[in-house]
Amino acid sequence: MRFCPCCGDSEKPVPDRDPVLLVSGMGGSILNSKPKKFGFITRVWVRILLADLEFRKKIWSIYNPQTGYTETLDKKSEIVVPDDDHGLYAIDILDPSWFTKCIHLTEVYHFHDMIDMLVECGYVKGTTLFGYGYDFRQSNRIDKLLDGLKLKLETAYKASGGRKVNIISHSMGGIMILCFMSLHKDVFSKYVNKWICLACPFQGAPGCVNDCLLTGLQFVEGFKSYFSVSRWTFHQLLVECPSVYEMLANPEYEWKKQPEIQVWRKHTKDGNISVNLESYGPYQSITLFEEALRHNELNYNGKTVSLPFNLAILKWAAGTRQLISNAKLPDGVSFYNIYGTSFETPFDVCYGSEKSPIDDLSEICQTMPQYSYVGGDGTVPAESAKADGFEAIERVGVATEHREILRDKTVFQLIQKWLGVEPMVSKQSKTSKVADTGAIKPIIL
């Protein structure tokens, strides 16, 4: 134990801790729109008020095959991730407005509870506790993201006095860690001690990702969805996101059962109508995506932008899949895996029905899916999440959902055990409350 002077004659112990770096996943970072010249910075993800409008204006994007980056249609601004609070602010409460805090909208309390838990266990922000939020639209192997991760690891290593870093990643954050480990193995070995992986789609998230590319994503359900980004608005972004294509089902993995997209099709020949159920595996689905999205487009500032299934992104994503399939855990790095179980998780997805079949495949984009389910966390099948291919120190299934895994008590107990720590203070005295930087920086809307 080290000691630091406090007021009076008393001294409080400051525990020795190896630094922890928290790495978020898809949708797990605040994204701001920053004017390239001058003007207000606007939070575009996540926000409750005017969510859909600001999303369309500021974050709709198109992939640039020349650079490998997805670039916003708004040429006057750029998407940035705030680095306040040593990177923790961007992954804590995703809409940190006072309104959201008043109603305590659980869906946006992302790493918040875990940050609280770690502070209670003696971790200190900026010394032994850091966060890494990033532009999750981009490929998990793109230079800007990996350079940012490298800088975070170096910062944590130096700030803690040369101690190796323990990474805790969530969901797609684990895919980025795999890419970094493959491309920068020596750097990973130098700075990383342990990697605790939560709910990572190692072999993909078939049901959810297939449907994301065809009909979109609803971030929150029920009445709350009226205050969030609409399913279709989200869809028009995801079609141009390399990160989404990188989470398609791994076609080379030996699944217990190959994931499928099923479509009830209506065919007319010689005046006769027939209805049959067509099935598409991971390879065959590419043809389906192309047909279903061939007319997909959006209107931006009065201009029509074509957004078909992007074969250039698919080719890039295939390279990413090869990269992560070849990833090797460096000697001296301990790996732990926690995956969710016991919840119905989309696996196969079906469009149309025998009574209401699909005539033209482009109609799929305007329908709602029917899923067949397997065990998992509601988003990532357990089969995929535990298929890491490494010699894990421990690999544990916990009955919890995909986002809830970040606040689950059993998960916290496992993390504390693997880090070799325990709570030092009561909940009443925890100190990791995150204020809206909008209260400090009025330029954030």
Side-chain angles (χ1 to χ4, degrees), residues 144-216:
K144 185 175 181 179
L145 268 60
L146 298 188
D147 289 346
L149 178 58
K150 180 182 177 182
L151 180 60
K152 278 293 178 185
L153 289 171
E154 291 174 342
T155 300
Y157 179 82
K158 292 175 182 178
S160 60
R163 292 172 178 261
K164 284 193 172 185
V165 182
N166 296 323
I167 296 175
I168 302 176
S169 66
H170 177 243
S171 189
M172 190 184 76
I175 301 297
M176 185 173 63
I177 299 298
L178 284 172
C179 292
F180 187 91
M181 196 165 66
S182 293
L183 293 171
H184 305 284
K185 187 174 182 179
D186 291 343
V187 177
F188 197 84
S189 296
K190 178 180 178 180
Y191 291 124
V192 178
N193 178 34
K194 297 176 181 178
W195 174 21
I196 299 173
C197 186
L198 310 178
C200 178
F202 284 102
Q203 306 303 331
C208 288
V209 173
N210 284 342
D211 190 47
C212 278
L213 289 171
L214 290 169
T215 74

Side-chain angles (χ1 to χ4, degrees), residues 270-287:
D270 299 328
N272 297 315
I273 297 176
S274 62
V275 176
N276 61 292
L277 183 63
E278 298 178 353
S279 296
Y280 303 81
Y283 284 118
Q284 295 77 24
S285 295
I286 305 306
T287 301

